Amino acid sequence: MKYAEAKEELIQAWGNLGYSWGLNKTMAQIHALLMISPKPLSTEEIMLELSISRGNANMNIRALLDWGIVSRILVPGERKEFFKSEKDIWALARQVAKERRKRELEPILKVLREVNDVQSDGSEDTKELKRVVKDLKNFAEKSDGLLETFIKSEESWFRNVLLKIMK
Amino acid sequence: MKYAEAKEELIQAWGNLGYSWGLNKTMAQIHALLMISPKPLSTEEIMLELSISRGNANMNIRALLDWGIVSRILVPGERKEFFKSEKDIWALARQVAKERRKRELEPILKVLREVNDVQSDGSEDTKELKRVVKDLKNFAEKSDGLLETFIKSEESWFRNVLLKIMK
DNA sequence: CTAAACTTTCAATAGTTTTTGAAAGTTTCC
DNA sequence: GGAAACTTTCAAAAACTATTGAAAGTTTAG
């Protein structure tokens, strides 16, 4: 396979994976582009490579900065800003986990804790609700704990866990 | 908190969590409703509870059946179909993991394997691409392995892993 | 067979998210 | 200061996704 084709496919594929991680398509594609670029890229270059508008490029670069997975680079002697991506994919996964935990898991845990003290009137409906909330809460808290451990871990954690559980 | 309010909030919250798991909003809400209902519900009842149209209810129930997290129940003496949800949240999470693995991870692994034999022309760009593909492939394969273990596991697996890694 | 009960489909519509590009804003340099 | 180089904003347009509801299809009971 030729370089240009491989690059194209990779950006596409990473675009999809990123999407299922909660980034949006363009965000993930910019990220992919920065991942495979040996040197930092300017907004101009990103626009050109991905055929997207200046505004779109700007907004999504900002979102990536916001997520903490891309950083601004100042090249001495250049007016323009350049961007480079975190290239350690484990660090990246940890960062995404951290953001999603904050954005998704935390709000749900909050609701579950509130709903947890619903008045029990002894009816089937109330009983079932209480049971479900208890289970969900338990699940969400465990997930939260696992995520937290992952976020604070080193790459080796994952390897170690895998080795352990796969015997 | 009163039952009606708690129910409302829970459906809302579960709707959001389900969404971040890759279901869509209505799908997740129908699922939430079935989770907290002590008895199977008909399409009619679901439409009414969630104020959605017949077509919408039908399509999303079908999607839930498709994901394998809701099942059709035939009540003797009734013409209507009833639906009930898998209530074991661990089983549910495993099912969702299974579907997402099939829908998301597998296609990306396929691309990574293809892109992996890009021709190396010795340039910086090619070198960087190869390095990134190698890392991604490694990561994706490990995730795949972990997911597989999870999918085949019992609830206790999660607890055990947690205990292990949390000392 | 036929009517009633129920389910499925799908074209039209509504709603949401993403993208564009030109204008406004900012920084840097002379 | 002012012009050039660059970045940010945002209203409008385009693209995408979800929802409706009426009509078509299917199954069941008598």
Side-chain angles (χ1 to χ4, degrees):
Chain A
M1 187 184 278
K2 293 281 167 43
Y3 174 73
E5 194 190 341
K7 178 177 177 179
E8 190 58 42
E9 290 239 6
L10 186 60
I11 289 177
Q12 209 52 44
W14 194 236
N16 291 335
L17 186 58
Y19 193 76
S20 72
W21 279 19
L23 316 185
N24 78 24
K25 197 182 108 238
T26 307
M27 231 173 129
Q29 286 182 346
I30 294 178
H31 182 256
L33 185 61
L34 292 175
M35 281 281 280
I36 60 175
S37 167
K39 58 180 200 356
L41 300 179
S42 67
T43 304
E44 210 73 34
E45 289 168 308
I46 292 169
M47 287 165 59
L48 216 81
E49 284 275 3
L50 300 178
S51 314
I52 58 176
S53 73
R54 184 172 300 283
N56 195 9
N58 186 274
M59 280 178 83
N60 283 292
I61 290 168
R62 196 135 41 73
L64 286 165
L65 292 170
D66 223 60
W67 276 68
I69 56 186
V70 157
S71 50
R72 234 183 262 273
I73 298 290
L74 291 171
V75 174
E78 286 268 20
R79 286 274 291 273
K80 273 202 277 291
E81 292 179 331
F82 290 80
F83 304 94
K84 78 168 209 282
S85 142
E86 168 64 70
K87 297 214 174 176
D88 175 347
I89 187 158
W90 299 95
L92 186 67
R94 283 199 298 275
Q95 190 58 41
V96 171
K98 189 172 164 188
E99 286 293 328
R100 292 196 62 173
R101 178 178 180 228
K102 191 172 76 200
R103 288 167 203 230
E104 296 165 13
L105 201 51
E106 279 177 11
I108 280 149
L109 269 171
K110 188 164 162 288
V111 172
L112 287 173
R113 281 174 188 139
E114 279 166 28
V115 169
N116 201 32
D117 41 286
V118 62
Q119 287 162 16
S120 191
D121 61 5
S123 73
E124 263 309 302
D125 285 355
T126 315
K127 270 189 210 151
E128 190 72 5
L129 185 76
K130 289 214 95 146
R131 205 186 52 64
V132 170
V133 169
K134 191 173 131 261
D135 285 1
L136 288 181
K137 199 157 146 289
N138 177 266
F139 180 81
E141 276 163 358
K142 274 193 194 148
S143 307
D144 196 52
L146 182 58
L147 265 187
E148 184 171 11
T149 308
F150 176 61
I151 290 163
K152 294 194 174 143
S153 71
E154 302 293 318
E155 172 178 0
S156 63
W157 169 83
F158 195 72
R159 212 194 301 275
N160 290 341
V161 169
L162 263 185
L163 285 174
K164 264 179 202 157
I165 61 183
M166 297 183 100
K167 268 168 264 93
Chain B
M1 188 184 279
K2 293 280 167 43
Y3 174 73
E5 195 190 339
K7 178 177 176 179
E8 192 58 43
E9 291 240 6
L10 185 60
I11 288 176
Q12 210 51 46
W14 193 237
N16 291 336
L17 186 59
Y19 193 77
S20 73
W21 279 18
L23 317 185
N24 79 23
K25 196 182 109 239
T26 308
M27 231 172 127
Q29 286 182 348
I30 294 177
H31 182 257
L33 185 61
L34 293 175
M35 281 282 280
I36 60 175
S37 167
K39 58 178 202 354
L41 300 179
S42 66
T43 304
E44 210 74 33
E45 290 167 307
I46 292 168
M47 287 165 57
L48 215 83
E49 284 275 4
L50 301 177
S51 314
I52 58 176
S53 72
R54 185 173 298 283
N56 196 7
N58 185 274
M59 280 178 84
N60 283 293
I61 290 169
R62 197 134 41 74
L64 287 165
L65 291 170
D66 222 61
W67 276 68
I69 56 185
V70 157
S71 50
R72 234 183 263 273
I73 298 289
L74 290 171
V75 174
E78 285 268 21
R79 285 276 291 273
K80 275 203 275 289
E81 293 178 330
F82 290 81
F83 304 95
K84 78 167 208 282
S85 143
E86 169 61 71
K87 296 214 174 175
D88 174 347
I89 188 158
W90 298 96
L92 187 67
R94 283 198 298 274
Q95 190 59 39
V96 171
K98 190 172 164 187
E99 286 293 327
R100 293 195 61 172
R101 179 177 179 226
K102 190 171 78 198
R103 288 167 203 230
E104 296 165 14
L105 201 52
E106 279 177 11
I108 281 149
L109 268 172
K110 188 164 163 287
V111 172
L112 287 173
R113 281 173 187 139
E114 279 167 29
V115 169
N116 199 32
D117 41 287
V118 62
Q119 287 162 17
S120 190
D121 62 6
S123 73
E124 263 309 300
D125 284 355
T126 316
K127 269 189 210 152
E128 191 71 5
L129 185 76
K130 289 213 94 145
R131 205 187 53 64
V132 170
V133 170
K134 189 171 133 263
D135 285 0
L136 289 182
K137 198 157 146 291
N138 178 267
F139 180 81
E141 276 163 358
K142 274 193 194 147
S143 307
D144 196 52
L146 182 58
L147 265 188
E148 185 171 12
T149 308
F150 176 61
I151 290 164
K152 294 195 174 138
S153 72
E154 302 293 317
E155 173 179 358
S156 62
W157 169 82
F158 195 72
R159 212 194 301 275
N160 290 342
V161 169
L162 265 185
L163 285 174
K164 265 178 202 158
I165 62 183
M166 297 183 103
K167 269 169 265 91

